[in-house]
Amino acid sequence: METYDALLAAITPASGETRTIFDPATGQPVGEAPVHTVQDLEAAIAAAAAAQPAWAALGHDARSAALLKAADAVERSAEELARLLSREQGKPLNGPNARFEVGACAAWLRVAAGTPLDPETVVDDGETRAELHYRPIGVVGAIGPWNWPMMITVWQLAPALRMGNAVVIKPSEYTPLSVLALVEILNQELPEGLLTAVAGGRDVGEALAGHPAIGKIMFTGSTATGKAIIRSSADTVKRLTLELGGNDAGIVLPDADPRAIAEGLFWGAFINTGQTCAALKRLYVHDAIYDAVCEELTNVAAAMPMGNGLDEANVLGPLQNRQQFDIVAALVDAARESGARILLGGNPESDQPGNFYPTTLVADIANSNPLVAEEQFGPALPIIRYRSVDEAVAMANALDVGLGASVWSSDPAEARKVAARLEAGTVWINKHGAVDPRIPFGGAKQSGYGLEFGVEGLKALGVPQVING
């Protein structure tokens, strides 16, 4: 276990260009991040390519054992990692936030290590025998976001390493320290050169996505950037797993109990202060219980404390960057001007330090309003009234994204019927955004393609090979 100061010192460059990272809650400096270059990327890729064959030759059991040791290392430094994450990203230590995220890193490493992937016998009829195996790709490039920087990085690297690949990571420019610290801890248990984080700018990301030595890109981020990666990957025919933007819908059926579902609705929408790809971002509620749901959800939301993440009492934090703050503010202001009713929030304190936007609930809003039609990615939830399930399903399916969705009902069988009609990669019943390392996860429509987690996630980090004979 390293102390917080020692961990920060270990990732602070001794020389070269650096960039100061500021706490989004206070505006105070957190630390200095390196500004890596394309030359640094080339060195990392060369080191990864050199380390990968020996790692692949170890076999699944030895690689899994190393990942389990890496999970132990994360847990030994869990509090230090959580504190750095809270200061850099803004999320509080408590609630489903910084400590939760670090714990999830260890959990995903363990599940990736422990998930069996045996050769599959496709045909064995006495004359023909064919087996399906999965071989390492080689070097995998991972490009991560700023909202869950540690956890999503582990989502990318854990299955890649388990399958015998080396990994080069390009973290978000907003949250490089968290990822650099995580990699520093993981590398205590991994061979040298196998895993490297290159904290550069857009030029580094573009070079990684098009590099001929990279066999696969894993990307979590915006749909626009995902499309650019698709284009840049074409010349080298890279494999891709893309988890892109979402604007998840939730449908509350008329038989739901408003008080019973209120807290689940809140966390489905406001986990990580709304900065989650698969968060509930537009809520459709039947007219018969619309007012009751609005009232119960407002009661829950009003009781959730927001503030500096290092304060143990808080469960909601600031938006990570001012650009995202401005997006949320503009969408809420436009909703108010359109005649929508603000149930809670909507008026940030201009003299408050940090990127704090209050928890905001917006009722009586048209489905065409930009707050509904565009992904807000922050603590503002529009609540739309509907009168028939067919109408709700049509509105939920109208957008060109489909990462997740949810149905809320006292009748699970009826909820599953509605869920089957929704165009989304995952549909949850009476919960939202509950990802599980054992259960495949991926998007529909322009929310991306490819699956992560579980057996399917492992397969996505390998090259299928049929041995026939």
Side-chain angles (χ1 to χ4, degrees):
M1 183 183 77
E2 299 189 52
T3 67
Y4 176 85
D5 290 341
L7 181 59
L8 193 57
I11 61 172
T12 301
S15 62
E17 185 182 355
T18 64
R19 185 167 56 87
T20 304
I21 303 297
F22 295 95
D23 186 332
T26 65
Q28 296 300 307
V30 178
E32 294 295 315
V35 180
H36 288 140
T37 66
V38 172
Q39 285 184 318
D40 295 318
L41 174 68
E42 291 288 352
I45 293 173
Q52 187 270 331
W55 174 251
L58 290 175
H60 282 292
D61 290 347
R63 294 195 298 266
S64 292
L67 291 183
L68 292 176
K69 289 182 178 179
D72 292 341
V74 169
E75 290 183 336
R76 287 194 299 270
S77 295
E79 191 63 18
E80 292 71 29
L81 289 169
R83 183 180 170 196
L84 177 58
L85 176 62
S86 181
R87 292 195 65 204
E88 182 181 49
Q89 201 280 336
K91 63 185 65 182
L93 292 170
N94 289 325
N97 291 299
R99 289 179 178 133
F100 168 86
E101 180 167 349
V102 175
C105 290
W108 252 266
L109 284 162
R110 289 203 166 92
V111 171
T115 300
L117 181 60
D118 298 320
E120 178 185 348
T121 301
V122 180
V123 174
D124 188 4
D125 61 4
E127 296 182 2
T128 299
R129 178 177 175 82
E131 291 183 344
L132 178 60
H133 298 252
Y134 288 86
R135 307 303 186 196
I137 295 169
V139 182
V140 172
I143 303 174
W146 49 259
N147 58 333
W148 295 91
M150 291 185 182
M151 185 173 72
I152 291 178
T153 292
V154 168
W155 290 0
Q156 297 169 331
L157 69 85
L161 293 174
R162 160 66 196 281
M163 294 300 290
N165 305 294
V167 183
V168 177
I169 298 164
K170 194 277 182 189
S172 167
E173 293 174 73
Y174 288 114
T175 53
L177 298 177
S178 299
V179 175
L180 289 167
L182 176 67
V183 170
E184 172 75 14
I185 296 300
L186 295 176
N187 277 335
Q188 295 173 2
E189 302 294 346
L190 296 174
E192 184 176 356
L194 188 70
L195 173 66
T196 306
V198 182
R202 182 186 296 269
D203 59 332
V204 170
E206 291 174 351
L208 179 62
H211 200 287
I214 299 294
K216 172 157 186 162
I217 292 289
M218 300 190 74
F219 172 73
T220 297
S222 71
T223 298
T225 303
K227 291 177 179 179
I229 288 172
I230 293 169
R231 288 189 290 269
S232 67
S233 71
D235 286 344
T236 51
V237 197
K238 283 183 178 35
R239 290 160 175 79
L240 299 173
T241 294
L242 304 174
E243 196 258 87
L244 307 179
N247 193 347
D248 288 12
I251 298 176
V252 179
L253 299 184
D255 67 348
D257 180 340
R259 180 170 294 180
I261 65 173
E263 188 165 347
L265 288 172
F266 175 83
W267 283 118
F270 292 98
I271 184 172
N272 196 25
T273 316
Q275 300 166 108
T276 297
C277 296
L280 172 56
K281 298 190 176 79
R282 46 196 176 110
L283 181 62
Y284 297 95
V285 181
H286 192 273
D287 181 63
I289 58 171
Y290 184 88
D291 291 335
V293 169
C294 287
E295 180 181 359
E296 296 294 345
L297 186 52
T298 300
N299 291 340
V300 170
M304 295 293 180
M306 174 183 288
N308 190 315
L310 297 181
D311 183 335
E312 297 278 352
N314 293 323
V315 294
L316 299 171
L319 288 159
Q320 200 286 322
N321 55 81
R322 201 67 187 181
Q323 179 181 0
Q324 197 60 42
F325 178 99
D326 291 342
I327 290 171
V328 175
L331 289 171
V332 174
D333 289 347
R336 181 191 290 109
E337 291 166 6
S338 75
R341 180 163 53 105
I342 308 296
L343 299 175
L344 183 71
N347 291 301
E349 297 179 18
S350 58
D351 59 346
Q352 183 180 26
N355 301 327
F356 289 98
Y357 195 91
T359 306
T360 300
L361 298 171
V362 182
D364 299 331
I365 185 170
N367 191 56
S368 59
N369 191 282
L371 182 60
V372 180
E374 300 174 18
E375 185 181 23
Q376 69 276 47
F377 217 71
L381 178 66
I383 309 171
I384 305 98
R385 191 187 304 263
Y386 75 87
R387 289 173 175 79
S388 74
V389 172
D390 287 347
E391 178 191 14
V393 169
M395 290 191 292
N397 287 339
L399 300 184
D400 60 2
V401 290
L403 187 57
S406 56
V407 182
W408 304 75
S409 172
S410 296
D411 183 346
E414 184 62 28
R416 284 192 288 272
K417 291 180 184 177
V418 176
R421 300 173 62 187
L422 296 178
E423 297 168 355
T426 299
V427 184
W428 292 277
I429 306 298
N430 292 325
K431 55 188 174 183
H432 196 110
V435 293
D436 185 311
R438 302 165 298 176
I439 300 173
F441 177 72
K445 298 194 279 192
Q446 293 195 32
S447 288
Y449 50 73
L451 290 172
E452 300 178 272
F453 315 160
V455 174
E456 297 304 320
L458 293 180
K459 290 178 178 180
L461 270 304
V463 177
Q465 180 187 55
V466 174
I467 297 179
N468 188 336

